[in-house]
Amino acid sequence: MLDLAIIGGGPAGLTAGLYATRGGLKNVTMFEMGMPGGQITGSSEIENYPGQGNVMSGMELMQNWPEQAMKFGLNHEMNQVTNVTKDGDVFTVETADGNKQEAKAVLLATGSVPRRAGFKGEDEFFGRGISTCATCDGFFYKGKEVAVVGGGDSALEEAVYLSKICSKVYLVHRRDTYRAAPSTIEHMKAAQNIEEVTSVDVEEVYGDAMGVTGLKVKSKENGEIRDLPTPGVFVFVGRDVLNDPLKQEDGSFLCDTNEQGEIIVDLKMKTNVPGLYAAGDVRIDAAKQVVCAAGDGATAAVDIIEYVG
Ligand code: NAP
């Protein structure tokens, strides 16, 4: 029987693992199907993690976290959790290989995945010219023109990153104001080779057997269509939470969620089900920052230690 099953190995899961094991819990397993580190490892530039003054990549920021947590006894199981159920006081955590493990407490720290924007050609060309990771795929477009879709922090930060690799970046946004932080907007505006293409909808991304060859955008003001002949389109239009493990056979969730499927927790990261916690981007009102996810993980672990007793 596990004291604690942590689902997800990003900043929230790793910090919970560190605090839980260092705080005395035995048999703490973190289920993470990929490399621990989380979605932030796909970010190219971090400059707002406290105490880390230099701009660094997400990969650099996260590189020491797993080792630190494992030093205190956190186990990492490279497996996907498909389902969590509760019977009496005991949780059962089922993984993709059909194995079942029992746990006294469960922390969901699964985060979120990039949302699709829903334009024509998006599914067809996903992975063949359409990407949601500039750090991963930006290099393929060295010296070429690309388009970035979105107007939040992710879109603007990644547009700035791509502007250093690519000859030109079209920043395609459906409004003429941005959601991103003022300093990020400033960085974007300072880049000489970013052209803002605002108040437009993406009509279509088109291409051939080799992949994307361009996109068409339609002005919301006068309906004019503009053709942007770029071989790369990066989409950053928000994220959807990963709550699948909590789905029950009848389609309900093991605990309360809001309309977006985000897990409802209190200030201790407790759900309405005793012993079940959620931390990081998967929970309601998440600030979606590494430092906040880490804080959530620590907060949850402190309470879980008390709960498990
Ligand atoms: P976001 O803030 O939700 O922004 C999504 C952007 O995509 C918005 O500009 C939105 O337009 C646009 N959009 C949404 N659906 C669309 C569609 N179907 N077609 C075209 N455009 C669409 O998402 P995010 O940038 O991924 O950021 C998520 C969270 O992480 C935010 O809280 C952000 O502050 C945080 N974050 C922080 C940092 C940092 O602090 N360094 C870095 C990255 C992300 P509208 O504006 O018109 O709605």
Side-chain angles (χ1 to χ4, degrees), residues 45 48 115-118 149-155 157 173-175 177-179 236-239 286-289:
E45 290 184 358
N48 56 3
R115 187 176 296 152
R116 298 270 166 118
V149 180
D153 279 309
S154 301
E157 282 182 6
H173 180 35
R174 63 185 181 183
R175 294 187 298 129
T177 53
Y178 299 103
R179 251 170 225 283
F236 301 104
V237 296
R239 309 188 63 89
K288 303 198 166 100
Q289 303 293 306

